[in-house]
């Protein structure tokens, strides 16, 4: 297995691939170039990105690239899911909580003090319109999108498909979003370590998964001090503030990266008393949650994904 | 004008008197009310309400649909796979 490590999307990226050496090198190079190009197009931290242009065009029709159109279209599918916990229109709330620059910049320079509480403006993502023939998007006036995690998941899956075109098996690990294609030559599954959200040097479990997606959302990774308050990047759409949840992280195993990403975030926000009920309506996902004491909790299918080659406590 | 007022008063008085006697006659020929049954109605005693189990407010209660999973003891990094899901 060949590996390529680099930093993109404010995350440590790890590409893994195996197959004929020349093809693997080509696949890794193309996947990396795709990730860089997609990040430039979809980041909200650059005024020059296509996403920033879309946000500035609210109130008029915007002719989008295939990538941006696909992601916004896909995001629309998730908006009606149970619980109402996915909403890409919470950018104002994120910025109000201090997340108005990249995480790398926040770690280096901190955030501005808390803004004066402004009247909360909510937007309904269902009002977004699409023109499939013209590949155009219309955002209602004032609406701005943050595609954040769903874009990262989408990029990871597309990059993995690029690897698949050149390699026998490959995986893209983009921090919280991982997508695998094919299977390693010497194994019947991919082995993936589940990191302890309280201590990045510790691993709580090893998962064995087939081709598909694994996404983890955590309230301990992207957090910062704003005035006297600790903030994190997972906004509860119903409150417009960083979510208050009794879990530290949720990992979802699903066939597609956008599904895994959206449900990891939604189940984490929902917390222990609602997550299982929300997940029960999706037979294609399994989830594992970590609580404040490092204990693991899972849906009924979750145990099947624990690697029994290790001795669990 | 005075003649009109006097006529109107007479008409109202005549209407009231005739309405009174018409109502009297109507009620006099109406059916008699049924006397109430002096025997008390017997009602079965209600079934006792089921006893509910006490609510468990302890932190150890497990929400429906969730199951606790085992976790790994601390392992050396070399024993672990390189792919890692660590949240974003």
């Amino acid at each position: 297995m060949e590996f390529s490590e680099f930093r993109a999307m404010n995350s440590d990226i790890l590409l893994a691939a195996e197959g004929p050496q020349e093809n693997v090198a080509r696949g890794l190079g193309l996947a990396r170039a795709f990730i860089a190009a997609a990040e430039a197009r979809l980041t909200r931290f650059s005024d020059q990105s296509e996403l920033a242009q879309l946000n500035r065009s609210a109130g008029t029709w915007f002719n989008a690239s295939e990538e941006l159109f696909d992601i916004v279209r896909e995001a629309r599918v998730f908006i009606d899911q149970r619980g109402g916990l996915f909403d890409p229109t919470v950018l104002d709330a994120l910025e109000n909580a201090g997340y108005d620059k990249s995480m790398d910049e926040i770690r280096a320079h901190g955030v501005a003090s808390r803004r004066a509480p402004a009247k909360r403006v909510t937007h309904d993502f269902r009002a977004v319109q699409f023109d499939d023939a013209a590949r155009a998007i219309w955002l209602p006036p004032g609406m701005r999108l943050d595609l954040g995690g769903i874009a990262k998941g989408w990029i990871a899956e597309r990059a993995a498909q690029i690897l698949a075109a050149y390699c026998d098996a490959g995986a893209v690990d983009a921090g919280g979003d991982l997508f695998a294609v094919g299977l390693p030559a010497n194994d019947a599954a991919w082995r993936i370590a589940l990191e302890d959200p309280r201590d990045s040097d510790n691993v709580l479990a090893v998962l064995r998964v087939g081709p598909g997606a694994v996404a983890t959302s955590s309230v301990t990774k992207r957090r910062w001090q704003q005035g006297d308050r600790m903030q994190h990047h997972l906004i509860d759409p119903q409150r417009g503030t960083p979510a208050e949840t009794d879990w530290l992280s949720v990992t979802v195993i699903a066939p597609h990266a956008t599904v895994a990403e959206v449900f990891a975030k939604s189940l984490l926000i929902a917390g222990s008393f609602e997550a299982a009920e929300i997940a029960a309506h999706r037979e294609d996902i399994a989830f594992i949650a970590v609580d404040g004491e490092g204990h693991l909790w899972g849906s009924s299918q979750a145990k099947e994904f624990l690697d029994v080659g290790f001795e669990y406590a | 004008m005075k003649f009109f007022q006097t006529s109107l008063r007479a008409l109202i008085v005549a209407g009231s008197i005739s309405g009174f006697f018409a109502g009297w006659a109507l009620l006099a020929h109406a059916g008699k009310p049924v006397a109430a049954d002096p025997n008390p109605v017997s009602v079965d005693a209600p079934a006792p309400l089921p006893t509910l189990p006490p609510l468990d407010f302890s932190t150890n209660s497990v929400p429906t649909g969730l199951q606790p999973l085992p976790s790994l003891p601390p392992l050396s990094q070399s024993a672990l796979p390189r792919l890692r899901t660590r949240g974003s």
Side-chain angles (χ1 to χ4, degrees):
Chain A
M1 187 78 70
E2 296 289 322
F3 293 94
S4 172
E5 282 182 277
F6 55 96
R7 190 143 179 94
M9 301 187 286
N10 286 290
S11 301
D12 294 323
I13 310 290
L14 176 66
L15 308 182
E18 65 181 23
Q21 195 169 12
E22 199 171 303
N23 289 357
V24 166
R26 177 105 175 110
L28 291 174
L30 288 174
R32 179 172 180 167
F34 171 79
I35 291 170
E39 180 188 12
R41 189 184 288 282
L42 300 169
T43 181
R44 71 177 169 93
F45 301 117
S46 165
D47 286 342
Q48 308 306 314
S49 73
E50 189 183 356
L51 177 62
Q53 292 172 40
L54 170 66
N55 284 338
R56 284 197 294 272
S57 79
T60 62
W61 282 97
F62 180 83
N63 290 100
S65 65
E66 187 183 345
E67 290 89 344
L68 181 63
F69 190 81
D70 274 5
I71 297 173
V72 178
R73 231 324 175 204
E74 202 155 330
R76 176 65 185 83
V77 173
F78 292 113
I79 205 74
D80 295 322
Q81 63 149 327
R82 270 180 93 84
L85 297 173
F86 171 72
D87 186 352
T89 71
V90 294
L91 183 51
D92 288 338
L94 261 179
E95 292 180 345
N96 199 42
Y99 196 9
D100 55 0
K101 51 193 169 189
S102 75
M103 209 57 227
D104 286 347
E105 287 181 79
I106 287 176
R107 286 179 185 127
H109 308 295
V111 301
S113 58
R114 190 173 170 75
R115 296 177 187 175
K119 187 183 176 191
R120 189 180 160 211
V121 179
T122 57
H123 299 281
D124 186 354
F125 191 59
R126 293 172 188 80
V128 175
Q129 295 177 41
F130 299 91
D131 182 339
D132 292 337
R135 213 166 61 204
I137 303 168
W138 183 88
L139 302 184
M143 180 186 285
R144 294 186 306 142
L145 303 182
D146 170 35
L147 297 173
I150 192 171
K152 208 159 91 161
W154 185 92
I155 291 170
E157 183 164 344
R158 285 292 179 101
Q161 286 164 354
I162 291 172
L163 284 180
Y166 291 87
C167 312
D168 299 335
V172 175
D173 177 355
D177 298 278
L178 190 151
F179 195 86
V181 288
L183 289 170
N186 299 323
D187 207 342
W190 291 91
R191 290 164 191 265
I192 298 162
L194 173 62
E195 188 175 288
D196 186 341
R198 303 164 306 163
D199 176 4
S200 59
D201 290 333
N202 192 30
V203 164
L204 293 173
V206 174
L207 309 180
R208 280 176 61 84
V209 300
V214 178
T216 298
S217 274
S218 167
V219 295
T220 63
K221 281 286 174 187
R222 292 174 191 251
R223 44 193 300 132
W224 58 91
Q225 187 81 33
Q226 187 186 42
D228 58 353
R229 173 183 303 211
M230 278 307 284
Q231 304 280 39
H232 62 78
H233 75 303
L234 292 179
I235 297 293
D236 179 347
Q238 291 164 358
R239 298 160 53 106
T241 56
E244 292 174 14
T245 169
D246 56 343
W247 282 341
L248 298 183
S249 74
V250 170
T251 298
V252 168
I253 300 145
H256 291 286
T258 50
V259 175
E261 162 65 33
V262 166
F263 276 91
K265 183 178 289 184
S266 298
L267 299 181
L268 179 56
I269 293 171
S272 62
F273 280 91
E274 289 181 275
E277 206 241 325
I278 293 172
H281 296 270
R282 294 287 304 225
E283 290 181 358
D284 57 340
I285 70 171
F287 75 89
I288 298 171
V290 181
D291 68 18
E293 294 171 348
H295 297 137
L296 301 185
W297 301 89
S299 54
S300 53
Q301 317 94 313
K303 206 165 185 176
E304 299 167 18
F305 294 99
L306 293 183
D307 188 344
V308 293
F310 293 88
E311 284 189 22
Y312 288 83
Chain B
M1 188 66 182
K2 189 157 178 80
F3 172 75
F4 175 73
Q5 286 178 338
T6 308
S7 302
L8 188 59
R9 283 193 188 115
L11 191 62
I12 291 169
V13 169
S16 300
I17 293 170
S18 59
F20 172 79
F21 282 109
W24 184 299
L26 192 68
L27 289 173
H29 290 90
K32 298 289 181 282
V34 178
D37 187 351
N39 300 320
V41 178
S42 66
V43 178
D44 293 336
L49 291 171
T51 307
L52 294 173
L55 290 174
D56 180 8
F57 291 108
S58 71
T59 53
N60 294 327
S61 60
V62 179
T64 314
L66 275 183
Q67 54 177 296
L69 300 173
S71 59
L72 285 171
L75 293 172
S76 76
Q77 295 289 320
S78 60
L80 296 169
R82 217 165 148 191
L83 291 173
R84 176 175 282 225
T85 187
R86 54 187 173 275
S88 63

